[in-house]
Coordinates of all heavy atoms in Angstrom, one line a residue:
A7 N 117.5 95.0 144.5 CA 118.7 95.5 145.1 C 118.4 96.1 146.4 O 117.3 96.7 146.7 CB 119.3 96.6 144.1
I8 N 119.4 96.1 147.3 CA 119.2 96.6 148.6 C 119.5 98.1 148.6 O 120.4 98.6 147.9 CB 120.2 95.9 149.6 CG1 119.6 96.1 151.1 CG2 121.6 96.3 149.5 CD1 120.1 95.0 152.0
K9 N 118.6 98.8 149.3 CA 118.8 100.3 149.4 C 119.3 100.6 150.8 O 118.8 100.0 151.8 CB 117.5 100.9 149.1 CG 117.2 101.2 147.7 CD 115.8 101.8 147.5 CE 115.9 103.0 146.6 NZ 114.5 103.7 146.4
V10 N 120.1 101.6 150.9 CA 120.6 102.1 152.2 C 120.2 103.5 152.4 O 120.3 104.3 151.5 CB 122.1 101.9 152.3 CG1 122.6 102.4 153.7 CG2 122.5 100.5 152.1
C11 N 119.6 103.8 153.5 CA 119.2 105.2 153.8 C 120.4 106.1 153.7 O 121.5 105.8 154.2 CB 118.6 105.3 155.2 SG 118.2 106.9 155.7
M12 N 120.3 107.2 153.0 CA 121.4 108.2 152.7 C 121.8 108.9 154.0 O 122.8 109.7 153.9 CB 121.0 109.1 151.6 CG 120.8 108.5 150.3 SD 122.4 108.0 149.5 CE 123.1 109.6 149.2
N13 N 121.0 108.9 155.0 CA 121.4 109.5 156.2 C 122.5 108.7 156.9 O 122.2 107.6 157.4 CB 120.2 109.6 157.2 CG 120.5 110.2 158.5 OD1 121.6 110.7 158.7 ND2 119.6 110.2 159.4
A14 N 123.7 109.3 156.9 CA 124.9 108.6 157.5 C 124.6 108.1 158.9 O 125.2 107.2 159.4 CB 126.1 109.4 157.3
L15 N 123.8 108.9 159.6 CA 123.6 108.6 161.0 C 122.5 107.5 161.2 O 122.3 107.0 162.3 CB 123.2 109.8 161.8 CG 124.2 110.9 161.8 CD1 123.6 112.2 162.4 CD2 125.4 110.5 162.6
C16 N 121.9 107.1 160.1 CA 120.8 106.1 160.2 C 121.3 104.8 159.6 O 121.6 103.9 160.3 CB 119.6 106.6 159.5 SG 118.3 105.4 159.3
G17 N 121.5 104.8 158.3 CA 122.1 103.7 157.6 C 121.2 102.5 157.5 O 121.6 101.4 157.3
A18 N 119.9 102.7 157.7 CA 118.9 101.6 157.6 C 119.0 101.0 156.2 O 119.1 101.7 155.2 CB 117.5 102.1 157.9
A19 N 119.0 99.7 156.1 CA 119.1 99.1 154.8 C 117.9 98.1 154.7 O 117.5 97.4 155.6 CB 120.4 98.3 154.7
S20 N 117.3 98.1 153.5 CA 116.2 97.3 153.2 C 116.0 97.1 151.7 O 116.4 97.9 150.9 CB 114.9 98.0 153.8 OG 113.8 97.3 153.4
T21 N 115.4 96.0 151.4 CA 115.1 95.8 150.0 C 113.7 96.3 149.6 O 113.3 96.4 148.5 CB 115.2 94.3 149.6 OG1 114.4 93.6 150.5 CG2 116.6 93.8 149.6
S22 N 112.9 96.5 150.6 CA 111.5 96.9 150.4 C 111.1 98.0 151.4 O 112.0 98.6 152.0 CB 110.6 95.7 150.5 OG 110.7 95.2 151.8
G23 N 109.9 98.2 151.5 CA 109.4 99.2 152.4 C 109.3 100.6 151.8 O 109.5 100.8 150.6
E24 N 108.9 101.5 152.6 CA 108.7 102.9 152.2 C 110.0 103.6 152.0 O 110.8 103.7 153.0 CB 107.9 103.6 153.2 CG 106.4 103.3 153.1 CD 105.8 104.0 151.9 OE1 105.9 105.3 151.8 OE2 105.2 103.3 151.1
W25 N 110.3 104.2 150.9 CA 111.5 105.0 150.7 C 111.0 106.4 150.3 O 110.1 106.6 149.5 CB 112.4 104.4 149.7 CG 113.2 103.2 150.2 CD1 112.7 102.0 150.1 CD2 114.3 103.2 151.0 NE1 113.6 101.1 150.7 CE2 114.6 101.9 151.3 CE3 115.2 104.2 151.5 CZ2 115.7 101.5 152.1 CZ3 116.3 103.9 152.2 CH2 116.6 102.5 152.5
K26 N 111.6 107.4 150.9 CA 111.2 108.8 150.7 C 112.4 109.5 150.0 O 113.5 109.1 150.1 CB 110.8 109.4 151.9 CG 109.5 108.9 152.5 CD 109.1 109.7 153.7 CE 107.8 109.1 154.3 NZ 106.6 109.4 153.5
K27 N 112.0 110.6 149.3 CA 113.0 111.4 148.6 C 113.5 112.4 149.5 O 112.8 113.1 150.2 CB 112.3 112.0 147.4 CG 112.0 111.0 146.3 CD 111.5 111.8 145.0 CE 111.4 110.8 143.8 NZ 110.4 109.8 144.0
G28 N 114.8 112.6 149.5 CA 115.5 113.6 150.3 C 116.0 114.7 149.4 O 115.4 115.1 148.4
W29 N 117.2 115.2 149.8 CA 117.8 116.3 149.2 C 118.4 116.0 147.8 O 118.7 114.8 147.6 CB 118.9 116.9 150.1 CG 119.8 115.8 150.6 CD1 120.9 115.3 149.9 CD2 119.7 115.1 151.8 NE1 121.5 114.3 150.7 CE2 120.8 114.1 151.8 CE3 118.8 115.1 152.9 CZ2 121.0 113.2 152.9 CZ3 119.0 114.2 153.9 CH2 120.1 113.3 153.9
P30 N 118.5 117.0 146.9 CA 119.1 116.8 145.6 C 120.6 116.5 145.8 O 121.3 117.2 146.6 CB 118.9 118.1 144.9 CG 117.9 118.8 145.7 CD 118.1 118.4 147.1
M31 N 121.1 115.5 145.0 CA 122.5 115.2 145.1 C 123.3 115.7 143.9 O 122.6 116.2 142.9 CB 122.7 113.7 145.2 CG 122.0 113.1 146.4 SD 122.4 111.3 146.6 CE 121.5 110.6 145.2
R32 N 124.6 115.7 143.9 CA 125.4 116.2 142.8 C 125.0 115.5 141.5 O 125.1 116.1 140.4 CB 126.9 116.0 143.0 CG 127.4 117.0 144.0 CD 128.9 117.0 144.1 NE 129.3 117.8 145.3 CZ 129.5 117.2 146.4 NH1 129.4 115.9 146.6 NH2 129.9 118.0 147.5
S33 N 124.6 114.2 141.6 CA 124.3 113.5 140.4 C 123.0 113.9 139.7 O 122.7 113.6 138.6 CB 124.2 112.0 140.7 OG 123.1 111.8 141.6
G34 N 122.3 114.7 140.4 CA 120.9 115.2 140.0 C 119.8 114.3 140.5 O 118.7 114.7 140.4
D35 N 120.2 113.2 141.1 CA 119.2 112.3 141.7 C 118.8 112.9 143.1 O 119.6 113.7 143.6 CB 119.7 110.9 141.9 CG 119.9 110.2 140.6 OD1 119.1 110.5 139.6 OD2 120.8 109.3 140.5
L36 N 117.7 112.4 143.7 CA 117.4 112.8 145.0 C 117.9 111.7 146.0 O 117.8 110.5 145.6 CB 115.9 113.0 145.2 CG 115.3 114.2 144.3 CD1 113.8 114.1 144.4 CD2 115.9 115.5 144.8
A37 N 118.4 112.1 147.1 CA 118.8 111.1 148.1 C 117.6 110.2 148.5 O 116.5 110.7 148.6 CB 119.3 111.8 149.3
S38 N 117.8 108.9 148.7 CA 116.7 108.1 149.2 C 116.9 107.9 150.7 O 117.9 107.6 151.2 CB 116.7 106.8 148.4 OG 117.9 106.2 148.4
L39 N 115.8 108.1 151.3 CA 115.7 108.1 152.8 C 114.7 107.1 153.3 O 113.7 106.9 152.6 CB 115.4 109.5 153.4 CG 116.3 110.6 153.1 CD1 115.7 111.9 153.4 CD2 117.7 110.4 153.7
C40 N 115.0 106.4 154.4 CA 114.0 105.5 155.0 C 112.8 106.3 155.4 O 112.9 107.6 155.5 CB 114.7 104.7 156.1 SG 115.0 105.7 157.6
D41 N 111.8 105.7 155.8 CA 110.6 106.3 156.2 C 110.8 107.4 157.3 O 110.3 108.5 157.2 CB 109.5 105.3 156.6 CG 108.1 105.9 156.7 OD1 107.7 106.6 155.8 OD2 107.5 105.7 157.7
K42 N 111.5 107.0 158.3 CA 111.7 107.8 159.5 C 112.5 109.1 159.1 O 112.1 110.2 159.4 CB 112.5 107.0 160.5 CG 112.7 107.7 161.8 CD 113.5 106.9 162.8 CE 114.9 106.8 162.3 NZ 115.9 106.5 163.3
C43 N 113.6 108.9 158.4 CA 114.4 110.1 158.0 C 113.7 110.9 156.9 O 113.8 112.2 157.0 CB 115.7 109.6 157.4 SG 116.7 108.6 158.6
G44 N 113.0 110.3 156.0 CA 112.2 111.0 155.0 C 111.2 111.9 155.6 O 110.9 113.0 155.1
C45 N 110.5 111.4 156.6 CA 109.4 112.2 157.3 C 110.1 113.4 157.9 O 109.5 114.5 157.8 CB 108.7 111.3 158.3 SG 107.6 110.2 157.6
A46 N 111.2 113.2 158.6 CA 111.9 114.4 159.2 C 112.3 115.4 158.1 O 112.1 116.6 158.3 CB 113.1 113.9 160.0
Y47 N 112.7 114.9 157.0 CA 113.2 115.8 155.9 C 112.0 116.6 155.4 O 112.0 117.8 155.2 CB 113.9 115.0 154.8 CG 114.4 115.9 153.8 CD1 115.6 116.7 154.0 CD2 113.8 116.1 152.5 CE1 116.1 117.5 153.0 CE2 114.3 116.9 151.6 CZ 115.4 117.6 151.8 OH 115.9 118.5 150.9
E48 N 110.9 115.9 155.2 CA 109.7 116.5 154.7 C 109.2 117.6 155.6 O 108.6 118.6 155.2 CB 108.5 115.5 154.5 CG 108.7 114.7 153.2 CD 107.7 113.5 153.1 OE1 106.8 113.4 154.0 OE2 107.8 112.8 152.1
Q49 N 109.3 117.4 156.9 CA 108.9 118.4 157.8 C 109.9 119.5 158.1 O 109.8 120.3 159.0 CB 108.5 117.7 159.1 CG 107.2 116.8 159.0 CD 107.1 115.8 160.1 OE1 107.5 116.1 161.3 NE2 106.6 114.6 159.8
S50 N 111.0 119.4 157.4 CA 112.1 120.4 157.5 C 112.7 120.4 158.9 O 113.2 121.4 159.5 CB 111.6 121.8 157.2 OG 111.1 121.9 155.9
I51 N 112.7 119.2 159.6 CA 113.3 119.1 160.9 C 114.4 118.1 160.9 O 114.9 117.6 162.0 CB 112.2 118.7 162.0 CG1 111.5 117.4 161.6 CG2 111.2 119.8 162.2 CD1 110.7 116.8 162.7
F52 N 114.8 117.7 159.7 CA 115.9 116.7 159.6 C 117.1 117.0 160.4 O 117.6 116.2 161.2 CB 116.3 116.5 158.1 CG 117.2 115.4 157.9 CD1 116.8 114.1 157.6 CD2 118.6 115.6 157.9 CE1 117.7 113.0 157.4 CE2 119.5 114.6 157.7 CZ 119.1 113.3 157.5
C53 N 117.6 118.2 160.2 CA 118.8 118.6 160.9 C 118.6 118.8 162.4 O 119.5 118.5 163.2 CB 119.4 119.9 160.3 SG 120.2 119.6 158.7
E54 N 117.4 119.3 162.8 CA 117.1 119.4 164.2 C 117.1 118.0 164.9 O 117.6 117.8 166.0 CB 115.6 119.9 164.4 CG 115.4 121.2 163.7 CD 115.5 122.4 164.6 OE1 115.7 122.2 165.8 OE2 115.4 123.5 164.0
V55 N 116.6 117.0 164.1 CA 116.6 115.6 164.7 C 117.9 115.0 164.7 O 118.3 114.4 165.7 CB 115.6 114.8 163.9 CG1 115.6 113.3 164.4 CG2 114.1 115.4 164.0
F56 N 118.7 115.1 163.6 CA 119.9 114.2 163.5 C 121.2 115.0 163.7 O 122.2 114.4 164.0 CB 119.9 113.6 162.1 CG 118.8 112.6 161.9 CD1 117.7 112.9 161.1 CD2 118.9 111.3 162.5 CE1 116.7 112.0 160.9 CE2 117.8 110.4 162.3 CZ 116.8 110.8 161.5
H57 N 121.1 116.3 163.6 CA 122.4 117.1 163.7 C 122.4 118.1 164.8 O 123.2 119.0 164.8 CB 122.7 117.8 162.3 CG 122.8 116.9 161.1 ND1 122.5 117.3 159.9 CD2 123.1 115.6 161.1 CE1 122.7 116.3 159.0 NE2 123.0 115.2 159.7
A58 N 121.5 117.9 165.7 CA 121.4 118.9 166.8 C 122.7 119.2 167.5 O 123.0 120.3 168.0 CB 120.3 118.5 167.8
K59 N 123.5 118.1 167.6 CA 124.8 118.3 168.4 C 126.0 118.6 167.5 O 127.1 118.7 168.0 CB 125.1 117.0 169.2 CG 124.1 116.7 170.2 CD 124.6 115.6 171.2 CE 123.6 115.5 172.4 NZ 122.3 114.8 172.0
E60 N 125.7 118.7 166.2 CA 126.8 119.1 165.3 C 127.1 120.6 165.3 O 126.2 121.4 165.8 CB 126.5 118.6 163.9 CG 126.5 117.1 163.8 CD 126.5 116.6 162.3 OE1 126.7 117.4 161.4 OE2 126.4 115.4 162.1
S61 N 128.2 121.0 164.8 CA 128.5 122.4 164.7 C 127.9 123.0 163.4 O 127.5 122.2 162.5 CB 130.0 122.7 164.8 OG 130.6 122.0 163.7
G62 N 127.9 124.3 163.3 CA 127.5 124.9 162.0 C 126.1 125.5 162.1 O 125.6 126.0 161.1
W63 N 125.5 125.5 163.3 CA 124.2 126.0 163.5 C 124.2 127.6 163.5 O 125.1 128.1 164.2 CB 123.5 125.5 164.7 CG 123.0 124.1 164.6 CD1 123.7 123.0 165.0 CD2 121.8 123.7 164.0 NE1 122.9 121.9 164.6 CE2 121.8 122.3 164.1 CE3 120.7 124.3 163.4 CZ2 120.7 121.5 163.6 CZ3 119.6 123.6 163.0 CH2 119.6 122.2 163.0
R64 N 123.4 128.2 162.7 CA 123.2 129.7 162.8 C 121.8 130.0 162.8 O 120.9 129.1 162.7 CB 123.9 130.3 161.6 CG 125.4 130.0 161.5 CD 126.0 130.5 160.3 NE 126.0 132.0 160.3 CZ 126.4 132.8 159.2 NH1 126.9 132.2 158.2 NH2 126.4 134.1 159.3
E65 N 121.5 131.3 163.0 CA 120.1 131.6 163.1 C 119.7 132.6 161.9 O 120.5 133.4 161.5 CB 119.8 132.3 164.4 CG 119.6 131.3 165.5 CD 119.5 132.0 166.9 OE1 119.5 133.2 167.0 OE2 119.5 131.2 167.9
C66 N 118.5 132.4 161.4 CA 118.0 133.3 160.4 C 118.0 134.7 160.9 O 117.6 135.0 162.0 CB 116.6 132.9 160.0 SG 115.7 134.0 158.9
N67 N 118.5 135.6 160.0 CA 118.6 137.0 160.4 C 117.3 137.6 160.7 O 117.2 138.6 161.5 CB 119.3 137.8 159.3 CG 120.8 137.8 159.4 OD1 121.4 136.9 160.0 ND2 121.5 138.8 158.8
S68 N 116.2 137.1 160.1 CA 114.9 137.7 160.2 C 114.0 137.0 161.3 O 113.4 137.7 162.0 CB 114.2 137.7 158.9 OG 115.0 138.2 157.9
C69 N 114.0 135.7 161.3 CA 113.0 135.1 162.2 C 113.6 134.2 163.3 O 112.9 133.6 164.0 CB 112.0 134.2 161.3 SG 112.8 132.7 160.7
D70 N 115.0 134.2 163.3 CA 115.7 133.4 164.3 C 115.5 131.9 164.2 O 115.8 131.1 165.2 CB 115.3 133.8 165.8 CG 115.7 135.2 166.0 OD1 116.7 135.7 165.4 OD2 115.2 135.9 166.9
K71 N 114.9 131.4 163.1 CA 114.9 130.0 162.9 C 116.3 129.4 162.8 O 117.2 130.0 162.3 CB 114.1 129.7 161.6 CG 114.0 128.2 161.3 CD 113.3 128.0 159.9 CE 113.5 126.7 159.3 NZ 113.0 125.6 160.1
R72 N 116.5 128.3 163.5 CA 117.9 127.7 163.5 C 118.1 127.0 162.1 O 117.3 126.3 161.6 CB 118.0 126.7 164.6 CG 118.0 127.4 166.0 CD 118.1 126.4 167.1 NE 119.5 125.9 167.3 CZ 119.9 124.7 167.4 NH1 119.0 123.7 167.3 NH2 121.1 124.3 167.5
L73 N 119.3 127.3 161.6 CA 119.7 126.7 160.3 C 121.0 126.0 160.4 O 122.0 126.5 161.0 CB 119.8 127.9 159.3 CG 118.5 128.7 159.1 CD1 118.9 130.0 158.3 CD2 117.5 127.9 158.3
H74 N 121.1 124.8 159.8 CA 122.3 124.1 159.8 C 123.2 124.4 158.6 O 123.0 123.7 157.6 CB 122.0 122.6 159.9 CG 123.2 121.8 160.3 ND1 123.3 120.4 160.1 CD2 124.3 122.1 161.0 CE1 124.5 120.0 160.6 NE2 125.1 121.0 161.1
C75 N 124.1 125.3 158.7 CA 124.9 125.8 157.6 C 125.9 124.7 157.2 O 126.5 124.1 158.0 CB 125.6 127.1 158.0 SG 124.4 128.4 158.1
G76 N 126.1 124.6 155.9 CA 127.1 123.7 155.4 C 126.7 122.3 155.3 O 127.5 121.4 155.1
C77 N 125.4 122.1 155.6 CA 124.9 120.7 155.6 C 124.0 120.5 154.4 O 123.2 121.3 154.0 CB 124.0 120.5 156.9 SG 123.3 118.9 157.0
I78 N 124.3 119.4 153.7 CA 123.5 119.1 152.4 C 122.0 119.0 152.7 O 121.2 119.4 151.8 CB 124.1 117.9 151.7 CG1 123.5 117.8 150.3 CG2 123.8 116.6 152.5 CD1 124.3 117.0 149.3
A79 N 121.6 118.5 153.8 CA 120.2 118.4 154.1 C 119.5 119.7 154.2 O 118.3 119.8 154.1 CB 120.0 117.5 155.3
S80 N 120.3 120.7 154.5 CA 119.7 122.1 154.7 C 120.1 123.0 153.6 O 119.7 124.2 153.6 CB 120.2 122.7 156.0 OG 119.5 122.1 157.1
R81 N 120.8 122.5 152.6 CA 121.3 123.3 151.5 C 120.2 124.2 150.9 O 120.5 125.3 150.5 CB 122.0 122.4 150.5 CG 122.4 123.1 149.2 CD 123.6 124.0 149.4 NE 123.8 124.8 148.2 CZ 123.1 125.8 147.7 NH1 122.1 126.3 148.5 NH2 123.4 126.4 146.6
F82 N 119.1 123.6 150.7 CA 118.0 124.3 150.0 C 117.0 125.0 151.0 O 115.9 125.3 150.6 CB 117.3 123.4 149.0 CG 118.3 123.0 147.9 CD1 119.0 121.8 148.0 CD2 118.5 123.9 146.8 CE1 119.9 121.5 147.0 CE2 119.4 123.5 145.9 CZ 120.1 122.3 145.9
M83 N 117.3 125.0 152.2 CA 116.4 125.6 153.2 C 116.9 126.9 153.7 O 116.4 127.5 154.7 CB 116.2 124.7 154.4 CG 115.6 123.4 154.0 SD 115.4 122.2 155.4 CE 114.9 120.8 154.5
M84 N 118.0 127.4 153.1 CA 118.6 128.7 153.6 C 119.2 129.4 152.4 O 119.4 128.8 151.3 CB 119.6 128.4 154.6 CG 120.9 127.8 154.1 SD 122.1 127.5 155.3 CE 121.4 126.1 156.1
E85 N 119.4 130.7 152.6 CA 120.2 131.5 151.6 C 121.3 132.2 152.4 O 121.0 132.7 153.5 CB 119.3 132.5 150.9 CG 118.4 132.0 149.8 CD 119.3 131.6 148.6 OE1 120.2 132.3 148.2 OE2 119.1 130.5 148.1
L86 N 122.4 132.3 151.8 CA 123.5 133.1 152.4 C 123.3 134.5 152.0 O 123.1 134.8 150.8 CB 124.9 132.6 152.0 CG 125.2 131.1 152.4 CD1 126.5 130.7 151.8 CD2 125.1 131.0 153.9
L87 N 123.4 135.5 152.9 CA 123.3 136.9 152.6 C 124.6 137.5 152.2 O 125.7 137.0 152.7 CB 122.7 137.6 153.8 CG 121.3 137.1 154.2 CD1 120.9 137.8 155.5 CD2 120.3 137.4 153.1
E88 N 124.6 138.6 151.5 CA 125.8 139.2 151.0 C 126.5 139.9 152.2 O 127.7 140.2 152.1 CB 125.5 140.2 149.9 CG 125.2 139.4 148.6 CD 124.8 140.3 147.5 OE1 124.1 141.3 147.8 OE2 125.1 140.0 146.3
N89 N 125.8 140.1 153.3 CA 126.4 140.8 154.4 C 127.0 139.7 155.4 O 127.4 140.1 156.5 CB 125.4 141.7 155.2 CG 124.3 140.9 155.8 OD1 124.3 139.7 155.8 ND2 123.3 141.6 156.3
G90 N 127.1 138.5 155.0 CA 127.6 137.5 155.8 C 126.6 136.8 156.7 O 127.0 135.8 157.4
G91 N 125.4 137.2 156.7 CA 124.4 136.6 157.5 C 123.7 135.5 156.7 O 124.2 135.1 155.6
V92 N 122.7 134.9 157.3 CA 122.0 133.8 156.6 C 120.5 134.0 156.9 O 120.1 134.5 157.9 CB 122.6 132.5 157.2 CG1 122.3 132.3 158.7 CG2 122.0 131.3 156.4
T93 N 119.7 133.5 156.0 CA 118.3 133.6 156.1 C 117.6 132.3 155.7 O 118.1 131.6 154.8 CB 117.8 134.8 155.3 OG1 116.3 135.0 155.5 CG2 118.0 134.6 153.8
C94 N 116.5 132.0 156.4 CA 115.8 130.8 156.0 C 115.1 131.0 154.7 O 114.9 132.1 154.3 CB 114.8 130.4 157.1 SG 113.4 131.4 157.3
I95 N 114.7 130.0 154.1 CA 114.1 130.0 152.8 C 112.8 130.8 152.8 O 112.5 131.5 151.8 CB 114.0 128.6 152.1 CG1 114.2 128.7 150.6 CG2 112.7 127.9 152.5 CD1 115.6 128.9 150.2
S96 N 112.0 130.7 153.8 CA 110.7 131.4 153.8 C 110.9 132.9 153.9 O 110.2 133.6 153.3 CB 109.8 130.8 154.9 OG 110.4 130.5 156.0
C97 N 111.9 133.3 154.7 CA 112.2 134.7 154.8 C 112.8 135.2 153.5 O 112.5 136.3 153.1 CB 113.1 135.0 156.0 SG 112.3 134.8 157.6
A98 N 113.6 134.4 152.9 CA 114.2 134.8 151.6 C 113.2 135.0 150.6 O 113.2 135.9 149.8 CB 115.2 133.7 151.2
K99 N 112.2 134.1 150.6 CA 111.1 134.3 149.6 C 110.3 135.5 149.8 O 109.9 136.3 148.9 CB 110.2 133.0 149.6 CG 110.7 131.9 148.9 CD 109.8 130.7 148.9 CE 110.4 129.4 148.2 NZ 109.9 128.2 148.8
K100 N 110.0 135.7 151.1 CA 109.2 136.9 151.5 C 109.9 138.2 151.1 O 109.2 139.2 150.6 CB 109.0 136.9 153.0 CG 107.7 136.4 153.5 CD 107.5 136.5 155.0 CE 107.6 135.1 155.6 NZ 107.9 135.2 157.1
S101 N 111.2 138.2 151.2 CA 111.9 139.5 150.9 C 112.4 139.5 149.5 O 113.1 140.5 149.1 CB 113.1 139.6 151.8 OG 114.0 138.5 151.7
G102 N 112.0 138.5 148.7 CA 112.4 138.5 147.3 C 113.8 138.2 147.0 O 114.3 138.4 145.9
L103 N 114.5 137.7 148.0 CA 115.9 137.4 147.8 C 116.2 136.2 146.9 O 117.3 136.0 146.4 CB 116.5 137.1 149.2 CG 117.3 138.2 149.9 CD1 117.6 137.7 151.3 CD2 118.5 138.5 149.2
I104 N 115.2 135.4 146.9 CA 115.4 134.0 146.5 C 115.8 133.9 145.0 O 116.6 133.0 144.6 CB 114.2 133.1 146.7 CG1 114.6 131.7 146.8 CG2 113.1 133.4 145.8 CD1 115.4 131.3 148.0
S105 N 115.4 134.9 144.2 CA 115.7 134.8 142.8 C 117.2 135.2 142.5 O 117.7 135.0 141.4 CB 114.7 135.7 142.0 OG 114.7 136.9 142.5
M106 N 117.8 135.9 143.5 CA 119.1 136.4 143.3 C 120.2 135.4 143.1 O 121.2 135.6 142.4 CB 119.5 137.2 144.6 CG 119.6 138.7 144.4 SD 119.7 139.4 146.0 CE 121.1 138.5 146.7
N107 N 120.0 134.3 143.7 CA 121.1 133.4 144.0 C 120.7 131.9 143.7 O 120.7 131.1 144.5 CB 121.5 133.5 145.5 CG 122.9 133.0 145.7 OD1 123.6 132.5 144.8 ND2 123.4 133.2 146.9
V108 N 120.5 131.7 142.4 CA 119.9 130.4 142.1 C 120.9 129.3 142.1 O 120.7 128.2 142.6 CB 119.2 130.4 140.7 CG1 118.7 129.1 140.3 CG2 118.1 131.5 140.7
S109 N 122.1 129.5 141.6 CA 123.1 128.5 141.5 C 123.6 128.2 142.9 O 124.3 127.3 143.2 CB 124.3 128.9 140.6 OG 124.9 130.0 141.2
Ligands
ZN1 ZN1 117.0 106.6 157.7
ZN2 ZN1 122.3 119.1 159.0
ZN3 ZN1 113.6 133.2 158.6

């Protein structure tokens, strides 16, 4: 069967080759990404590479890392704060926030 890269901006289709796992989807499966997109996702730069010109970018309250809010590819790389701010996942872990908001 032919597979299509889940990155809407890429859309590479192939029956073979390297496929990488991306973000978790509603079905419980992981998105399948072509090698190029999968590498970007693994390095946590997927949104920087593909969505740089999209809206929704905010900065981590603690370290100023740029975060693409509302994007499924970044869904698990940030936590929303109760004060309306946002924090990256590494700062959230450091501050112990991460266990608060599992769902
Ligand atoms: Zn791709
Ligand atoms: Zn994004
Ligand atoms: Zn941070």
Side-chain angles (χ1 to χ4, degrees):
I8 199 158
K9 273 178 135 181
V10 179
C11 179
M12 293 289 293
N13 176 10
L15 297 171
C16 169
S20 170
T21 49
S22 59
E24 281 286 303
W25 287 92
K26 293 188 180 287
K27 290 186 171 65
W29 49 85
M31 299 187 293
R32 284 190 192 92
S33 64
D35 293 331
L36 295 173
S38 50
L39 298 169
C40 72
D41 192 49
K42 185 182 68 157
C43 300
C45 283
Y47 185 75
E48 281 172 3
Q49 291 163 35
S50 305
I51 56 166
F52 184 90
C53 286
E54 307 261 356
V55 173
F56 294 104
H57 301 156
K59 294 195 174 71
E60 290 193 11
S61 58
W63 286 95
R64 297 175 69 183
E65 281 173 5
C66 172
N67 273 23
S68 309
C69 72
D70 293 339
K71 180 179 161 64
R72 292 178 78 227
L73 301 165
H74 195 201
C75 292
C77 178
I78 191 161
S80 286
R81 171 68 187 81
F82 295 95
M83 295 178 193
M84 69 180 77
E85 277 294 315
L86 299 177
L87 299 174
E88 288 173 325
N89 65 7
V92 63
T93 182
C94 74
I95 211 73
S96 37
C97 292
K99 278 180 185 155
K100 262 183 251 163
S101 57
L103 262 172
I104 201 72
S105 51
M106 252 169 49
N107 201 353
V108 176
S109 67

